[in-house]
Amino acid sequence: MSFGDINRRRYLALAGSALTTGVAGCSGGSEEAAGGDTPVENPGDDGGETTATAAATETETETATSTEAPGKAEVVIASREVRTEETDYGTVDAYAVFELVNEGDAPSGPINVELRFYDGSDTILSTRPATARTLGPGETWRGFKKYLDTEGQDVASVRIEAEFASSLTVMEDVEVVESSISREEDSSYLTSTGVLQNNTGGELGYIEAISKFYIEEKVIVGAEYTNELNIPAGERWRFENMFDTSFAPEITNVEILPGDNNL
């Protein structure tokens, strides 16, 4: 099975200033883009620590139509910022915090994000990817991504590009019969474990178990997945997904979604 309606859009959010915080998860401000596809004028950076208003600009659109799945996702960049914190070792960690919102009426397929960290002279320091397997209608993905260097004080801004598939096939005849979460001591990783049962009446050629990690209602910090092939009718499959909670707020709930993102 494949996406019923593939509609990939690319958005670019302009540069924003770094914010310094004493504790991860705290912020002196943020950068927000206008909802929908309407560009917002970027007033520029005044050179201080005040966050500039971001802009979300559509730069590329590709559309293919199909009648397989009703509804369509519409994922837009809502905000992004840089945060820093001092470590116990005297170094500075920097990380990007960004929000994408699904303003459509259907769950999205995979969302691929590219984050580019810049210094004060607008030179790229590093580029890092981030992904979420799906985002439900009306939901927000609040992502956290670390700058992989101990000299986080060099990071002045972050820019973001996002690409998404506009629909996900949800497997309604696949039952979630078990679900649990666990964490090993002193580990930043949370493990989502569960069992899916094939109630479709036939063999499942492809299936994904998607674990959506929530920090509040309608707000996820990640959506990880694993997949399996050729599950006979009536049989069960045990799966495991792991999510790195570094810099993220406490997980309050994990939802298991059986889906098909197989292109």
Side-chain angles (χ1 to χ4, degrees):
M1 302 179 72
S2 61
F3 295 113
D5 181 11
I6 299 177
N7 179 6
R8 290 190 169 93
R9 294 194 172 189
R10 211 167 181 82
Y11 296 91
L12 175 64
L14 300 183
S17 303
L19 297 174
T20 301
T21 62
V23 181
C26 299
S27 169
S30 63
E31 304 158 26
E32 297 183 356
D37 298 340
T38 306
V40 177
E41 182 179 356
N42 186 354
D45 191 352
D46 61 6
E49 293 188 1
T50 303
T51 303
T53 302
T57 305
E58 180 179 327
T59 60
E60 179 183 337
T61 302
E62 299 177 17
T63 304
T65 60
S66 172
T67 58
E68 286 186 17
K72 182 173 67 173
E74 187 67 30
V75 178
V76 299
I77 297 171
S79 66
R80 82 280 177 277
E81 63 180 304
V82 174
R83 298 181 186 178
T84 60
E85 73 173 86
E86 293 185 4
T87 71
D88 294 336
Y89 305 100
T91 58
V92 175
D93 282 340
Y95 57 102
V97 182
F98 58 91
E99 288 191 349
L100 276 67
V101 179
N102 182 358
E103 297 181 346
D105 56 3
S108 78
I111 305 172
N112 298 312
V113 168
E114 182 179 88
L115 296 153
R116 294 192 297 275
F117 294 90
Y118 289 79
D119 64 15
S121 63
D122 208 29
T123 300
I124 296 176
L125 297 172
S126 176
T127 301
R128 295 211 63 198
T131 62
R133 199 59 179 173
T134 185
L135 186 63
E139 289 188 340
T140 296
W141 172 24
R142 187 175 300 158
F144 298 78
K145 203 68 175 180
K146 184 180 179 182
Y147 169 66
L148 293 181
D149 196 298
T150 57
E151 297 180 350
Q153 70 274 6
D154 293 341
V155 179
S157 63
V158 64
R159 296 174 186 172
I160 179 173
E161 288 185 357
E163 184 181 68
F164 69 99
S166 64
S167 65
L168 163 75
T169 301
V170 179
M171 308 297 290
E172 296 181 354
D173 292 328
V174 176
E175 180 184 358
V176 181
V177 295
E178 292 181 22
S179 178
S180 63
I181 56 176
S182 61
R183 186 199 304 268
E184 293 187 7
E185 187 176 357
D186 298 326
S187 173
S188 65
Y189 282 88
L190 193 68
T191 301
S192 167
T193 305
V195 174
L196 299 183
Q197 179 168 308
N198 177 9
N199 294 332
T200 64
E203 182 180 85
L204 269 177
Y206 179 88
I207 182 66
E208 293 181 3
I210 304 172
S211 299
K212 299 173 67 179
F213 297 86
Y214 287 84
I215 55 173
E216 57 186 83
E217 186 178 4
K218 293 284 188 177
V219 180
I220 68 169
V221 288
E224 303 294 334
Y225 83 103
T226 186
N227 58 26
E228 188 56 88
L229 304 175
N230 306 324
I231 300 176
E235 293 198 5
R236 296 182 175 187
W237 164 48
R238 182 174 297 277
F239 67 88
E240 179 179 289
N241 290 317
M242 299 183 68
F243 177 70
D244 186 1
T245 60
S246 299
F247 299 104
E250 182 178 357
I251 306 297
T252 59
N253 183 44
V254 177
E255 176 189 352
I256 307 302
L257 185 65
D260 182 359
N261 271 315
N262 186 24
L263 291 175

